[in-house]
């Protein structure tokens, strides 16, 4: 196990939802698992006037997000954890002199022996990132003369290529790139990391992982939920910015990348950037029209209950054309992937919550059992990211009896079968990596920019053309015509929440 140095985690935006919902529970799990260093302190900072005690109550003692965990814990364990947590009020503005904050950090550092090692976690709107980085740096808190300093930033990393570059340039004025950790929580998912292992720790997949054997690649990210209380944010963002530019292109890069020389952060990230740069950027209107589909959910009745349409959601413009469904077909211009189409879609308010990668293999070159129904039974490798995490291979077997009738059978592996292993939550894993200085699962500046290079023209086209925004009833697999994108190949594989169920399979309860 890697050693974690003594350190302090300073969270900006600490009174916000993310701290209580994700960060503190992740830190608590690290604490319970014995992963925190001997000397470790969390310092929350934001614009709310709270004492250390108030903050501890809010994020630990009275937190609904920790309630279940704390039920099982002894009082002295809870107290020991809560006592690691402190709070500082930044006043009315994040863009202010951080003298008081710096004093608090210095005092906590000497009282708790955190060896001048600080992580600054920015859980604030991105418009504040540069100002916060500047104010941290003005107090010499970004300097690594004594101890290391790291900056974790949450998505979105920009709103477009230009704003992403501005953000990167802004942060680079105060922090060097190796100090910056851009969090993409999908990279914290075990099953996303397992894409690397499936490909590069086995000798049976990689020889087939190319245009000679793969017919097309399909990635689905579906959510059954709507925009919930985030309508205000989402309406300015849309599915392409919210999920595709970051999480889904990260998955794409892991599917597309060449084998890295080794497993260190830069070796892996270099290959991911190369992969993203090889996506063929679509620029002309005809290509964009033929290869992209956007849509928005409209109200419907699910399980007997009326569900709001997107335009009725809180914080959403009643005339909004923001997409809650996006499907993109594209090609990868390199030796390995020439002419292999990739189909990627993401949406809210679909029938179920599921994320999976499906590698569709070509049919055998010479078909002996041509009349036996094998044609539509080409092999598939399904990598299930969530839920029912696992891997499924679909292959042909002979139906017992006379002749050669072929049926498709499943060979499956489920993560749940490794029950003894505690699977870390994404934030838990990512925080621990940052605490240990491992940036492998964080996005690098050039990676983020390469993703925007691909996405920008699509967004521009959608904004400036009269490309239709289709409607789909909440609770279905997007608009009917999304199948047109896959024309000639078939249809999207509409997965069930269970990995091995075939499309069309229905789980009633
Ligand atoms: C977030 C998006 O990054 O990811 C949300 O902003 C989305 O809109 C969420 O719901 C999905 O994450 P997960 O881990 O539940 O698939």
């Amino acid at each position: 196990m890697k050693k974690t140095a003594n350190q302090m985690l300073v969270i900006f935006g600490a009174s916000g939802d993310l701290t209580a919902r994700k960060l503190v529970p992740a830190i608590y799990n690290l604490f319970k698992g014995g992963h925190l260093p001997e000397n470790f302190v969390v310092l929350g900072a934001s614009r709310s006037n709270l004492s250390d005690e108030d903050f501890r109550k809010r994020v630990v003692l009275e937190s609904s997000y920790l309630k279940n965990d704390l039920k099982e814990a002894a009082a002295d364990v809870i107290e020991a954890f809560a006592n690691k947590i402190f709070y500082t009020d930044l006043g009315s503005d994040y863009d202010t002199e951080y003298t008081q904050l710096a004093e608090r950090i210095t005092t906590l550092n000497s009282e708790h022996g955190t060896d001048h090692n600080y992580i600054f976690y920015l859980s604030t709107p991105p418009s504040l990132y540069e100002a916060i980085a500047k104010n941290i740096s003005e107090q010499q808190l970004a300097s690594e003369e004594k101890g290391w300093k790291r900056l974790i930033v949450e998505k979105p990393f920009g709103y477009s290529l230009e704003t992403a570059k501005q953000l990167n340039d802004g942060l680079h004025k105060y922090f060097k790139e190796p100090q910056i950790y851009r969090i993409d929580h999908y990279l914290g998912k075990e099953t996303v990391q397992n894409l690397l292992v499936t490909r590069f720790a086995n000798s049976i997949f990689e020889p087939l992982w190319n245009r000679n054997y793969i017919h097309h690649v399909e990635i689905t990210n579906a959510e059954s939920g709507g925009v919930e209380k985030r309508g205000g944010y989402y309406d300015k963002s849309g599915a392409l910015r919210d999920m595709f530019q970051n999480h889904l292109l990260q998955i794409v890069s892991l599917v597309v990348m060449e084998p890295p020389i080794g497993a260190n952060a830069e070796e892996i990230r270099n290959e991911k950037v190369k992969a993203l740069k090889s996506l063929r950027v679509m620029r002309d209107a005809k290509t964009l029209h033929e290869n992209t589909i956007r849509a928005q959910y409209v109200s419907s009745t699910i399980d007997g209950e009326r569900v709001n349409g997107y335009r009725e959601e809180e914080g959403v413009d009643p005339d909004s054309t923001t997409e809650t469904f996006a499907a993109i077909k594209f090609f990868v211009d390199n030796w390995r992937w020439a002419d292999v189409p990739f189909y990627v879609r993401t949406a809210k308010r679909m029938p179920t919550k599921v994320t999976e990668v499906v590698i569709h293999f070509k049919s055998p070159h010479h078909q002996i059992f041509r009349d036996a129904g094998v044609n539509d039974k080409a092999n598939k490798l399904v990598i299930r990211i969530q839920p029912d995490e696992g891997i499924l291979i679909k292959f042909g077997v002979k139906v017992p009896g006379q002749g050669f009738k072929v049926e498709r059978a499943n060979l499956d592996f489920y993560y749940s079968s490794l029950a003894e292993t505690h699977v870390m939550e994404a934030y838990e894993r990512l925080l621990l990596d940052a605490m240990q200085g491992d940036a492998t699962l964080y996005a690098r500046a050039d990676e983020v920019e390469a993703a925007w290079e691909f996405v920008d023209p699509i967004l521009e086209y959608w904004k400036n053309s009269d490309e239709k925004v289709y409607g789909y009833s909440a609770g279905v697999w997007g608009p009917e015509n999304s199948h047109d994108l896959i024309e000639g190949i078939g249809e999207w594989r509409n997965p069930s929440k269970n990995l091995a169920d075939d499309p069309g399979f229905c789980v009633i309860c």
Side-chain angles (χ1 to χ4, degrees):
M1 202 158 75
K2 271 196 222 158
K3 190 163 164 14
T4 312
N6 293 331
Q7 59 192 279
M8 185 182 316
L9 174 65
V10 184
I11 304 174
F12 288 83
S15 56
D17 182 53
L18 187 81
T19 307
R21 188 164 50 88
K22 290 284 182 195
L23 302 182
V24 174
I27 299 164
Y28 178 72
N29 281 338
L30 292 174
F31 168 73
K32 248 183 14 192
H35 298 291
L36 293 183
E38 200 180 331
N39 300 335
F40 178 77
V41 164
V42 176
L43 175 61
S46 72
R47 291 172 306 180
S48 307
N49 180 13
L50 301 171
S51 64
D52 289 342
E53 279 313 313
D54 296 335
F55 187 56
R56 284 173 192 170
K57 271 193 201 151
R58 180 190 283 228
V59 298
V60 182
L61 305 170
E62 292 172 6
S63 160
S64 57
Y65 301 109
L66 268 183
K67 209 160 74 195
N68 283 341
D69 290 296
L70 298 189
K71 247 192 248 155
E72 294 158 13
D76 58 335
V77 172
I78 300 175
E79 199 189 331
F81 178 68
N83 286 345
K84 292 182 183 297
I85 297 183
F86 300 85
Y87 182 83
T88 282
D89 182 3
L90 288 175
S92 59
D93 199 348
Y94 280 97
D95 194 4
T96 179
E97 268 192 27
Y98 289 169
T99 15
Q100 241 180 324
L101 174 72
E103 276 165 23
R104 190 80 205 269
I105 291 177
T106 311
T107 316
L108 287 172
N109 177 61
S110 50
E111 282 173 5
H112 294 269
T114 51
D115 297 344
H116 303 273
N117 295 326
Y118 308 143
I119 296 185
F120 300 102
Y121 195 116
L122 308 194
S123 171
T124 63
S127 53
L128 297 170
Y129 288 173
E130 188 178 338
I132 296 175
K134 175 184 90 205
N135 296 323
I136 291 173
S137 154
E138 277 176 1
Q139 300 297 323
Q140 311 312 318
L141 289 168
S143 146
E144 297 196 293
E145 216 165 282
K146 279 195 249 160
W148 47 252
K149 309 292 179 301
R150 295 174 191 147
L151 184 76
I152 304 184
V153 290
E154 275 284 337
K155 67 155 235 201
F157 314 119
Y159 189 72
S160 60
L161 177 60
E162 194 190 335
T163 51
K165 281 185 173 161
Q166 278 164 6
L167 183 59
N168 283 334
D169 292 346
L171 294 179
H172 287 152
K173 286 188 214 155
Y174 310 105
F175 286 84
K176 294 193 261 331
E177 178 60 24
Q179 291 178 282
I180 304 174
Y181 291 67
R182 294 173 193 77
I183 215 164
D184 184 307
H185 81 277
Y186 265 57
L187 288 176
K189 293 183 193 275
E190 279 293 333
T191 41
V192 173
Q193 296 156 33
N194 194 45
L195 267 164
L196 281 175
V197 175
T198 305
R199 288 191 55 192
F200 303 127
N202 291 299
S203 54
I204 56 171
F205 298 117
E206 204 49 27
L208 308 181
W209 208 265
N210 57 55
R211 66 187 306 271
N212 296 326
Y213 295 94
I214 294 178
H215 188 271
H216 67 282
V217 176
E218 177 184 349
I219 301 177
T220 290
N221 166 266
E223 287 184 80
S224 47
V227 290
E228 319 292 335
K229 294 208 159 54
R230 296 163 71 231
Y233 147 78
Y234 194 89
D235 207 31
K236 293 193 191 64
S237 166
L240 212 63
R241 286 192 179 91
D242 185 51
M243 291 298 300
F244 182 86
Q245 185 277 336
N246 37 65
H247 309 322
L248 291 176
L249 284 184
Q250 283 292 338
I251 295 176
V252 166
S253 71
L254 295 171
V255 173
V256 165
M257 71 189 265
E258 293 300 313
I261 301 168
N264 82 28
E266 296 322 316
E267 286 162 342
I268 291 179
R269 298 197 299 178
N270 287 344
E271 291 304 335
K272 285 172 65 196
V273 174
K274 216 168 91 193
L276 289 170
K277 285 191 170 167
S278 58
L279 306 190
R280 186 186 303 165
V281 180
M282 296 181 271
R283 296 200 188 274
D284 63 285
K286 181 169 179 290
T287 312
L288 285 157
H289 169 69
E290 286 169 358
N291 293 284
T292 67
I293 293 182
R294 60 173 166 172
Q296 201 182 73
Y297 60 84
V298 298
S299 94
S300 80
T301 305
I302 302 178
D303 294 338
E305 269 186 45
R306 185 187 181 277
V307 173
N308 274 348
Y310 176 68
R311 292 179 184 184
E312 299 161 85
E313 302 277 23
E314 197 186 311
V316 171
D317 176 351
D319 296 320
S320 172
T321 55
T322 299
E323 79 285 357
T324 60
F325 171 102
I328 314 287
K329 173 185 177 184
F330 60 89
F331 289 92
V332 180
D333 282 335
N334 65 18
W335 195 270
R336 183 187 287 266
W337 293 109
D339 301 328
V340 177
F342 280 68
Y343 300 89
V344 180
R345 65 180 168 166
T346 176
K348 301 244 181 232
R349 281 277 181 242
M350 290 212 134
T352 189
K353 181 171 168 70
V354 62
T355 305
E356 66 173 30
V357 176
V358 188
I359 309 290
H360 294 261
F361 290 93
K362 290 184 172 170
S363 304
H365 301 314
H366 176 58
Q367 298 190 11
I368 304 171
F369 308 114
R370 196 184 297 264
D371 300 324
V374 74
N375 283 352
D376 57 342
K377 304 229 165 23
N379 297 120
K380 291 184 195 1
L381 172 67
V382 183
I383 301 174
R384 179 58 79 93
I385 295 190
Q386 62 191 20
D388 206 18
E389 292 82 354
I391 292 184
L392 176 74
I393 298 178
K394 290 193 168 283
F395 66 109
V397 293
K398 182 182 173 303
V399 176
Q402 255 192 326
F404 287 99
K405 191 165 173 350
V406 180
E407 236 343 306
R408 206 153 58 180
N410 287 338
L411 199 61
D412 48 15
F413 156 77
Y414 295 90
Y415 269 84
S416 53
S417 63
L418 306 174
E420 265 84 272
T421 328
H422 162 65
V423 177
M424 281 192 181
E425 282 288 317
Y427 272 93
E428 204 179 326
R429 170 68 203 269
L430 292 173
L431 269 176
L432 183 59
D433 279 3
M435 287 165 71
Q436 298 181 336
D438 183 347
T440 313
L441 301 177
Y442 284 86
R444 214 168 58 186
D446 51 354
E447 217 173 319
V448 170
E449 289 177 17
W452 276 117
E453 289 265 5
F454 181 75
V455 168
D456 241 21
I458 306 175
L459 287 168
E460 279 296 306
Y461 171 70
W462 282 358
K463 191 169 136 212
N464 299 322
S465 71
D466 52 6
E467 185 65 35
K468 291 191 180 61
V469 180
Y470 294 97
Y472 61 100
S473 300
V476 307
W477 287 103
E480 237 348 275
N481 62 322
S482 64
H483 291 299
D484 298 350
L485 208 62
I486 304 206
E487 208 177 15
I489 291 184
E491 299 194 331
W492 294 92
R493 186 187 120 90
N494 289 339
S496 147
K497 67 178 183 184
N498 300 323
L499 172 61
D501 294 346
D502 275 320
F505 189 100
C506 150
V507 178
I508 290 178
C509 56

